Amino acid sequence: MQHPQFESICAKEVKDPRTTKPHVLPLYATSSFAFESIDEGMDIFTNKKEGHVYGRYGNPTMDAVADKIAALEAAGTGKEAAALLFSSGQAAVCTMMLAMLKQGDKILTQGNLYGGTTELFLKVLQPHGIETILMDLHDLELVEKTVKNDPAIKMLYCETPANPTLACVDLEALAGIAQRYDRYSAVDNTFATPYLQQPLRYGIDFIIHSTTKFLNGHGNSIAGALVTSHTAQMRMGGAIWTTLKLAGTNCNPWDAWLIHNGMKTLAVRMERHCENALRIAQELENDGHVSRVNYCGLPSHPDHLIAKKQMRAFGGMLSFELKGGLDAGIRFMNAIKFCTLAPTLGDVDTLILHPASMSHLNVAKEVRLKNGITDGLIRLSVGIEHVEDIIGDLKQAMGSI
Ligand SMILES: *Cc1c(COP(=O)(O)O)cnc(C)c1O
């Protein structure tokens, strides 16, 4: 073959002639994968041979990270699990529901889910004929009776610990109900991460993560994951894989690569998040400006025993109620210097939120109060900094109320 001309050198892909192996997972920034021959292409397309085709269906960076998340959720449980990555936590939930449910099916869940999830169920799924029933999932007798009497309920969906009160759901009990009546169970495990809580142990079918939060930990990527023991649904041709591929709710290699970097330190970060959060919760419980502290690691928390049963430690999220209500909340937030006012969570640095004046400003007060978001409630995503720096900031801001 003759040497290619200038224009061809510009346009042609390069072949890397080096053979040394990268130590760190490479970022495969490619939208498609070239086949060596027609035969190879056909084998990959028909699932006879493992391989990649097109980035929306999968990519080596994304698949490696998904496999790692599945391995973390399954570690030590004796269960097999498969995972897929999505463009966000919301995309993971939405794809799971579209794949596993159909018109006429119902979801049974709690009122205090992540706000976006509730909205997804009510504003997107409900108009398509998938109804949502909201219930206090502590009332297991009522849950069981409702499931037993309504065969249309196909999915029991929960979040534990949940925003903003750190309310917990008994995973073993919920999975038991789902199994007895042959329904699916799913849990949003974003707050706990698999380091602190592995829902597969209790027989939960599907686990959702907003990897945007603790799994990544560095606040530089938005993505989601779905993990399940129903591995066939996740492989080529399975319902979830097919829905992801056709709805285009896939992640991308760059975000996957960032999650991978973050997850390397997940265990040590979670240790520090938990240690700092418990110490801060104890300090706040003794602060005269505070009427209540919501941290499931405190014996005073109504769900402490449920948390203790199913979690290794209690996580980095907590909230507390200022006695002075809305005005105190606003003055407190304006005096914060060290922590960052930001509406996300799970980053290495401490993030603070006053829902009544920030995330829930446009939510009707009755609705907000019904979900435990009172005027003086402050939510803290405790970081891994030196704990005295965080406590010092909270104390000086208390002084300005
Ligand atoms: C942030 C969050 C979500 C949504 O995840 P995105 O990645 O923002 O789509 C779902 N559940 C919980 C508990 C969350 O904190």
Side-chain angles (χ1 to χ4, degrees):
M1 226 182 95
Q2 68 187 47
H3 283 297
Q5 306 289 318
F6 186 94
E7 291 81 352
S8 302
I9 296 171
C10 285
K12 283 300 284 179
E13 192 46 67
V14 289
K15 290 259 183 294
D16 182 354
R18 287 162 299 240
T19 54
T20 44
K21 280 193 204 162
H23 164 52
V24 167
L25 178 68
L27 180 62
Y28 285 87
T30 180
S31 57
S32 71
F33 300 85
F35 304 130
E36 296 295 343
S37 67
I38 285 283
D39 283 346
E40 187 189 35
M42 276 167 49
D43 285 350
I44 292 174
F45 260 111
T46 54
N47 207 16
K48 279 195 203 115
K49 183 179 172 185
E50 273 202 76
H52 291 95
V53 176
Y54 184 62
R56 177 154 44 75
Y57 311 2
N59 162 295
T61 312
M62 278 148 59
D63 292 359
V65 177
D67 289 350
K68 188 160 179 161
I69 296 175
L72 294 175
E73 283 289 0
T77 66
K79 304 259 166 103
E80 257 209 76
L84 287 167
L85 290 187
F86 295 82
S87 55
S88 66
Q90 291 297 104
V93 182
C94 189
T95 306
M96 174 187 74
M97 293 301 189
L98 291 177
M100 304 313 297
L101 303 182
K102 59 182 190 321
Q103 196 174 29
D105 290 345
K106 295 178 187 169
I107 302 164
L108 179 83
T109 187
Q110 66 205 65
N112 53 339
L113 291 175
Y114 173 74
T117 308
T118 310
E119 280 195 72
L120 170 71
F121 292 176
L122 299 179
K123 294 185 180 167
V124 179
L125 297 179
Q126 196 124 302
H128 288 284
I130 297 170
E131 198 187 307
T132 288
I133 303 169
L134 300 177
M135 193 169 279
D136 178 358
L137 299 183
H138 291 104
D139 191 346
L140 292 161
E141 263 176 54
L142 182 61
V143 170
E144 177 143 13
K145 210 173 99 198
T146 310
V147 169
K148 189 176 172 186
N149 292 331
D150 190 348
I153 297 171
K154 291 283 159 59
M155 180 73 76
L156 307 187
Y157 185 93
C158 77
E159 200 173 299
T160 181
N163 231 344
T165 56
L166 282 294
C168 297
V169 176
D170 185 328
L171 291 174
E172 192 175 20
L174 197 77
I177 295 172
Q179 280 164 3
R180 274 199 288 290
Y181 299 95
D182 201 19
R183 319 296 164 88
Y184 292 120
S185 57
V187 58
D188 183 330
N189 204 26
T190 298
F191 273 31
T193 82
Y195 183 66
L196 301 179
Q197 174 173 280
Q198 291 172 302
L200 291 177
R201 278 187 197 283
Y202 309 105
I204 294 283
D205 297 299
F206 297 100
I207 301 159
I208 279 102
H209 283 285
S210 169
T211 64
T212 312
K213 317 293 168 53
F214 290 100
L215 285 186
N216 174 298
H218 295 76
N220 52 15
S221 129
I222 290 204
L226 177 63
V227 185
T228 178
S229 49
H230 302 277
T231 54
Q233 305 286 3
M234 310 291 266
R235 285 197 287 268
M236 187 182 273
I240 293 171
W241 184 85
T242 304
T243 307
L244 176 156
K245 175 189 113 168
L246 297 176
T249 47
N250 53 286
C251 188
N252 64 81
W254 171 238
D255 281 313
W257 190 85
L258 289 169
I259 300 165
H260 185 248
N261 267 351
M263 282 196 305
K264 289 178 183 176
T265 56
L266 179 66
V268 286
R269 279 191 286 112
M270 291 316 291
E271 291 284 349
R272 180 63 70 83
H273 281 300
C274 292
E275 193 184 306
N276 281 357
L278 181 61
R279 177 68 208 291
I280 291 166
Q282 287 163 343
E283 285 287 333
L284 289 169
E285 244 190 350
N286 295 319
D287 192 299
H289 304 90
V290 174
S291 59
R292 186 167 38 97
V293 180
N294 303 306
Y295 184 60
C296 57
L298 291 175
S300 61
H301 191 281
D303 294 337
H304 178 60
L305 293 180
I306 301 177
K308 215 169 151 180
K309 178 177 137 186
Q310 62 196 21
M311 297 176 77
R312 182 204 292 253
F314 306 100
M317 298 301 300
L318 62 87
S319 64
F320 55 97
E321 182 74 31
L322 291 174
K323 284 178 183 162
L326 193 66
D327 288 346
I330 291 170
R331 278 200 296 276
F332 175 81
M333 291 299 283
N334 280 331
I336 285 290
K337 292 192 176 84
F338 177 78
C339 307
T340 303
L341 279 60
T344 185
L345 59 99
D347 289 359
V348 289
D349 53 334
T350 299
L351 307 173
I352 190 163
L353 181 75
H354 179 220
S357 72
M358 293 166 73
S359 59
H360 288 67
L361 191 58
N362 295 319
V363 176
K365 190 168 173 179
E366 317 84 72
V367 176
R368 165 159 82 69
L369 292 179
K370 222 178 124 204
N371 288 315
I373 300 164
T374 43
D375 286 346
L377 189 83
I378 306 286
R379 188 187 79 179
L380 207 59
S381 169
V382 177
I384 63 170
E385 307 98 327
H386 197 293
V387 71
E388 295 302 341
D389 288 334
I390 309 168
I391 293 171
D393 193 30
L394 298 175
K395 292 271 175 210
Q396 68 78 25
M398 293 288 182
S400 325
I401 290 179

